[in-house]
Amino acid sequence: MRKSKKSRKWLRNLFLTFALVIVAGLIYSVYQYKSGLAMADDGPYKDDGKTYDPFEGADVQFGQINVLLLGSDARDEDGRSDSLMIAHYDQTTNDVKLISIMRDTYVDIPEHGMNKINAAFAFGGPELVRKTIKQNFDIDVNYYAVADFKGFPKIIDLLAPDGIEVDIPYEMSYGIGMTLHPGKQTLHGDGLLGYVRFRHDRLSDFGRVERQQEVLTKVKEQIGVSSLMNLPKLLGVADSYFDTNVDNKTILTIGKGIVNGKSSMDTLRIPIANSYEDKRTNVGDVLDIDLDKNKQALEEFLSSKDNEKND
């Protein structure tokens, strides 16, 4: 009888301890989430005031998740997307693949004809971008996320609190509201935003896309357990600066997979090298691409298990 009572008492104490841990975790998560919301009081999506046409993304197949990432620029008065990427996540291997599509890529936009791909966002939001990608490149996208660039520094500082080391080849200042000096240095949120947005050099948008991929790859390398602990705060910030249909459960699943697994990140730029030519059209200067060559490169990139960065 004495042993039975001790056993019940031990089990009761264990249950109470477990319950307290759960309650403490919930309180911590709520506090962190509200703290994130407070950090994002100027976010354009804070009050859910912006709406898009229903997104009809394909169902996830075989654990292969494609998320359409769109960067919006408040300075762009016609509402075109400033950057366009597809993030591919493999739930089996936890590997990430990042595809950047140049915004001046000349494509057929459904019901609008030939235009720069970044015009699709202005014409019909994320759903029309999804349709455009499907029609031209035959890639199914499952989710979307529209990011306001004002939130980039705060999110980067949460994911990489120690900053990101970059090697700046020359002075960068025009159009980014700051001056970045040449040389190796560690940049934090605002500095990194300037670094990834600068495009007034001989490489123009090509250099900017390369820097965006560089920074995202280095941020991914820094994601660890501390980043997972900051996830509630990160979601709070993202609620105000992101409009997305990715549910929190999926975000948590991807986050845990990246943190716990030995994952890699590979990158690709569309158009690939030697597959396009500069062309003057009625919509301005565009990148007239070899569609078949780029579709093949995309298919090989997504199906390959071990990719090298495409120049």
Side-chain angles (χ1 to χ4, degrees):
M1 287 290 290
R2 221 178 270 121
K3 286 184 179 180
S4 178
K5 286 182 179 179
K6 285 183 178 180
S7 177
R8 286 199 298 269
K9 184 177 181 182
W10 182 84
L11 286 172
R12 185 172 65 251
N13 289 340
L14 179 64
F15 174 77
L16 288 173
T17 301
F18 184 65
L20 285 172
V21 169
I22 292 177
V23 170
L26 289 172
I27 292 173
Y28 171 81
S29 297
V30 171
Y31 172 78
Q32 287 282 83
Y33 180 78
K34 289 185 176 180
S35 177
L37 285 176
M39 289 173 60
D41 57 355
D42 62 340
Y45 303 109
K46 185 176 182 180
D47 299 318
D48 296 325
K50 199 141 187 171
T51 58
Y52 300 106
D53 291 338
F55 192 78
E56 299 178 6
D59 293 333
V60 175
Q61 298 289 329
F62 310 111
Q64 306 293 311
I65 301 174
N66 290 325
V67 183
L68 177 63
L69 305 176
L70 297 160
S72 64
D73 188 353
R75 300 174 303 180
D76 197 336
E77 296 180 357
D78 60 8
R80 298 186 178 213
S81 56
D82 191 55
S83 63
L84 194 164
M85 298 180 180
I86 300 171
H88 174 87
Y89 176 70
D90 187 323
Q91 289 182 292
T92 302
T93 64
N94 296 315
D95 289 336
V96 178
K97 296 179 181 180
L98 192 65
I99 303 159
S100 295
I101 303 179
M102 303 284 291
R103 63 183 192 168
D104 290 339
T105 302
Y106 198 45
V107 296
D108 185 14
I109 299 176
E111 300 182 11
H112 293 273
M114 297 299 294
N115 208 319
K116 299 179 181 182
I117 195 168
N118 70 338
F121 183 69
F123 294 152
E127 171 61 9
L128 186 56
V129 180
R130 183 197 68 79
K131 288 180 178 177
T132 301
I133 290 172
K134 176 63 177 176
Q135 177 168 302
N136 289 272
F137 300 107
D138 198 26
I139 294 179
D140 286 322
V141 174
N142 312 111
Y143 303 103
Y144 77 89
V146 181
D148 183 90
F149 279 117
K150 288 186 295 184
F152 178 86
K154 296 174 182 178
I155 289 173
I156 290 296
D157 284 341
L158 285 173
L159 290 173
D162 295 328
I164 299 294
E165 185 179 279
V166 297
D167 190 359
I168 302 175
Y170 34 70
E171 182 178 289
M172 300 178 177
S173 59
Y174 187 80
I176 60 174
M178 66 183 69
T179 299
L180 299 176
H181 300 284
K184 287 187 177 181
Q185 52 191 290
T186 299
L187 299 179
H188 293 269
D190 289 327
L192 280 169
L193 177 60
Y195 180 71
V196 301
R197 300 198 73 186
F198 181 75
R199 61 186 178 93
H200 294 280
D201 60 1
R202 63 182 180 81
L203 294 176
S204 187
D205 208 34
F206 287 91
R208 184 174 68 158
V209 165
E210 184 177 322
R211 287 189 290 275
Q212 288 174 350
Q213 292 186 339
E214 173 197 1
V215 167
L216 290 177
T217 299
K218 289 180 176 179
V219 169
K220 187 263 172 191
E221 291 171 354
Q222 287 202 25
I223 294 176
V225 176
S226 61
S227 302
L228 202 59
M229 293 292 290
N230 274 331
L231 188 58
K233 182 182 288 187
L234 187 66
L235 291 174
V237 174
D239 263 1
S240 293
Y241 290 113
F242 279 76
D243 181 88
T244 181
N245 67 335
V246 184
D247 58 275
N248 288 346
K249 181 180 178 182
T250 300
I251 293 173
L252 183 60
T253 298
I254 294 174
K256 287 173 63 179
I258 292 175
V259 170
N260 296 329
K262 293 182 179 179
S263 62
S264 64
M265 177 183 278
D266 297 304
T267 61
L268 178 75
R269 186 202 69 218
I270 295 295
I272 60 173
N274 303 316
S275 71
Y276 66 93
E277 61 179 5
D278 296 317
K279 185 177 181 180
R280 182 73 179 175
T281 69
N282 63 324
V283 297
D285 294 327
V286 301
L287 299 174
D288 191 20
I289 69 171
D290 183 325
L291 195 57
D292 289 336
K293 186 179 288 189
N294 281 279
K295 283 174 66 175
Q296 181 179 350
L298 273 168
E299 182 179 349
E300 292 174 356
F301 178 71
L302 291 174
S303 61
S304 174
K305 295 296 182 183
D306 185 19
N307 297 286
E308 293 183 358
K309 186 174 180 178
N310 193 289
D311 294 325

